[in-house]
Amino acid sequence: MYRHRRILPLLLALGPQVLAADLPTEWIDPDTGHRVIRLSREDGTQSLYFNQNAYTADGKKLIVTTAGGGIATINLATREVRPLVAGPVSVLVAGHKTGDVYYTKRAAGGRGSAASVVYATNVDTGVTREVVHLPPGRAVASLNADETLLLGTYVDGAAAPAPAANRLPGVDPRFGQPDYAAVGADGKPMTYADAKDLRLHNTLMATRAGAPRVLFTVNAKTGETKDIFREHEWLGHLQFSPTDPDVIMFCHEGTWHEVDRIWTIHADGAGLKKIHTRTMNMEIAGHEFFSSDGATIWYDLQTPRGQDFWLAGYKVATGKRTWYHLERNEWSVHFNVSPDGTLFAGDGGDSEMVARAPDGKWIYLFRPQRVPDVAGIKTANSEDLIDTGFFQSERLVNMSKHDYRLEPNVTFSPDMKWVVFRSNMLGPVHVYAVEIARSASR
């Protein structure tokens, strides 16, 4: 380990061509004083998307995907990596009740919009059970808290293909998302953020002009499907509450400044509610996620876009709002909250993204601070107003060598000792964890 600590700055300087043969497994970040460990062993291993539950019910294992599209587990105490499911599959979530890993796999011989099957595999025994067969053209993306319902979307009716210019580009396997390259009216290449918005806008317009999108549930025992909501919007970011099996959150995908993004609805289709209402031009909100107890919805809020930055919270039960302010360099592609709700993390961003941060390529830890009432005097309607605060930030990992087309997707380990993320900062993609406590041997 000591040898790796000494050679890490040299490896970072030399670049990815020499890294595959000697990637460090552990080091102290010289710029932050925090210990970083490489959890994965195989190049191309990735952690899950930031709002997917990636930890087993006992908190001992992390679910990751492998280079071949399969699934593996990493024991957080011993760092043992064990293959679990051969690929290619699509991971949904680790069940909150059983800890089994749920995933979909194309049915035998299936292609295109053919049927797929949902499976669940026990992380300790490896025993796999078939959950449900999905009808052709339907896909699921979330599982509720008691593992009785799956949630997905489909397009109702055969729609004419969108023009090529309006379709998203193919997914770049290096980054797990499309390469949003575009040229502006002046003939110059757009920034990554602007090119992405242009592509999203074109896809949104094609979606609104096409067949309706439908939100549906699937009974995990009987396979019964139920359509609960439909509209001519691009539906995505499907999430069940981690604690209430009846509460669903979804979004209107597209350019954030032209959609009302965040919505909740009950599993029976009742109680549709918009979570955030825009009050100024170019105000944006998105990348929403539930707190671990399901009590709060958190989301990235900018008032307006690219100028003033907040992490906003909405209490599901009462509608009470809390906004924490961030500086430009602290804005992050994704945020997350610790299991006990006392800490937040962010994965930073590069200078071409929406914040255009000159020095934003860091993994951050945030400690929330409330703006106090002056002299303890509250205004008469304070409970009806937004409760404001700010983040005291601490840099955990220098991500200057990371290509942000791969989103790091930070999560807290269940014991709240580590922030887990994926990165290509040393060349190949791997899963890392940074210790929240500063190392005494800096």
Side-chain angles (χ1 to χ4, degrees):
M1 184 178 72
Y2 177 72
R3 177 174 63 90
H4 283 150
R5 288 183 189 174
R6 296 186 63 184
I7 69 169
L8 178 63
L10 177 61
L11 290 173
L12 290 172
L14 290 176
Q17 67 273 16
V18 299
L19 296 179
D22 192 10
L23 291 180
T25 57
E26 185 174 331
W27 71 93
I28 306 299
D29 188 306
D31 296 302
T32 71
H34 287 269
R35 182 163 62 119
V36 183
I37 60 175
R38 177 165 58 89
L39 293 173
S40 55
R41 297 293 174 263
E42 178 190 10
D43 291 356
T45 304
Q46 298 194 36
S47 52
L48 303 187
Y49 194 50
F50 82 109
N51 65 14
Q52 291 175 284
N53 179 42
Y55 299 95
T56 54
D58 60 9
K60 295 181 179 180
K61 294 179 181 178
L62 170 70
I63 309 302
V64 298
T65 61
T66 63
I71 305 172
T73 63
I74 300 177
N75 187 302
L76 294 172
T78 66
R79 305 187 201 175
E80 178 190 12
V81 181
R82 294 185 61 184
L84 185 66
V85 178
V89 300
S90 295
V91 181
L92 298 176
V93 70
H96 288 283
K97 183 178 179 180
T98 65
D100 291 351
V101 180
Y102 287 74
Y103 54 95
T104 61
K105 188 174 185 178
R106 189 67 63 191
R111 293 188 178 185
S113 61
S116 58
V117 183
V118 179
Y119 295 94
T121 298
N122 185 278
V123 296
D124 295 318
T125 66
V127 173
T128 297
R129 56 189 170 89
E130 183 180 294
V131 181
V132 293
H133 274 259
L134 297 174
R138 299 199 182 200
V140 293
S142 188
L143 175 75
N144 71 348
D146 62 8
E147 302 181 28
T148 59
L149 289 177
L150 294 150
L151 176 67
T153 62
Y154 73 95
V155 179
D156 186 13
N166 289 343
R167 289 202 294 266
L168 290 176
V171 172
D172 188 324
R174 296 172 299 170
F175 310 114
Q177 61 178 326
D179 185 4
Y180 296 103
V183 176
D186 58 2
K188 297 180 180 179
M190 290 183 172
T191 65
Y192 180 82
D194 288 350
K196 180 177 182 178
D197 272 346
L198 177 62
R199 296 289 189 137
L200 293 176
H201 168 77
N202 290 340
T203 303
L204 174 62
M205 294 300 102
T207 300
R208 287 176 172 175
R213 304 295 176 101
V214 181
L215 195 65
F216 73 97
T217 60
V218 184
N219 187 298
K221 288 187 176 180
T222 68
E224 178 188 7
T225 63
K226 180 180 179 181
D227 295 348
I228 63 171
F229 181 68
R230 72 180 59 223
E231 63 178 342
H232 286 269
E233 291 287 345
W234 180 7
L235 306 180
H237 231 235
L238 311 184
Q239 302 171 65
F240 267 110
S241 163
T243 55
D244 189 333
D246 185 53
V247 174
I248 291 168
M249 179 165 59
F250 68 96
C251 84
H252 289 172
E253 296 279 14
T255 34
W256 288 8
H257 63 274
E258 62 178 335
V259 299
D260 291 320
R261 169 138 177 144
I262 310 169
W263 301 79
T264 57
I265 194 170
H266 294 300
D268 63 359
L272 180 68
K273 182 183 293 186
K274 183 170 65 173
I275 299 304
H276 182 87
T277 298
R278 183 179 296 105
T279 58
M280 67 177 70
N281 187 40
M282 294 304 297
E283 179 177 330
I284 63 172
H287 279 168
E288 56 285 343
F289 59 99
F290 281 104
S291 59
S292 295
D293 60 5
T296 306
I297 293 170
W298 295 100
Y299 56 96
D300 175 6
L301 173 63
Q302 300 176 34
T303 57
R305 171 192 162 124
Q307 299 300 319
D308 209 9
F309 307 93
W310 307 83
L311 186 65
Y314 171 88
K315 287 288 186 182
V316 176
T318 66
K320 178 65 177 177
R321 298 181 185 274
T322 302
W323 292 7
Y324 291 116
H325 193 261
L326 298 118
E327 300 300 323
R328 182 177 299 275
N329 283 331
E330 296 168 348
W331 173 84
S332 297
V333 181
H334 296 112
F335 298 92
N336 227 315
V337 63
S338 62
D340 68 355
T342 62
L343 297 172
F344 294 83
D347 52 17
D350 68 25
S351 60
E352 287 201 356
M353 291 178 163
V354 63
R356 290 179 167 81
D359 186 19
K361 298 178 74 168
W362 301 86
I363 299 295
Y364 285 101
L365 182 72
F366 299 117
R367 294 179 172 86
Q369 305 292 321
R370 182 182 176 275
V371 175
D373 299 302
V374 175
I377 302 170
K378 291 182 177 290
T379 187
N381 64 338
S382 62
E383 290 303 311
D384 299 325
L385 302 177
I386 298 168
D387 196 22
T388 57
F390 58 93
F391 280 151
Q392 287 184 340
S393 66
E394 181 179 359
R395 291 171 169 177
L396 300 181
V397 184
N398 185 333
M399 299 285 280
S400 60
K401 299 298 181 181
H402 178 80
D403 186 329
Y404 268 84
R405 288 177 291 179
L406 175 75
E407 298 171 344
N409 285 289
V410 286
T411 63
F412 283 89
S413 63
D415 62 7
M416 297 193 305
K417 294 182 179 180
W418 303 87
V419 171
V420 176
F421 62 100
R422 61 193 183 193
S423 179
N424 52 30
M425 61 184 171
L426 299 182
V429 178
H430 277 279
V431 179
Y432 298 90
V434 56
E435 193 170 22
I436 292 175
R438 190 186 296 269
S439 174
S441 59
R442 180 178 180 178

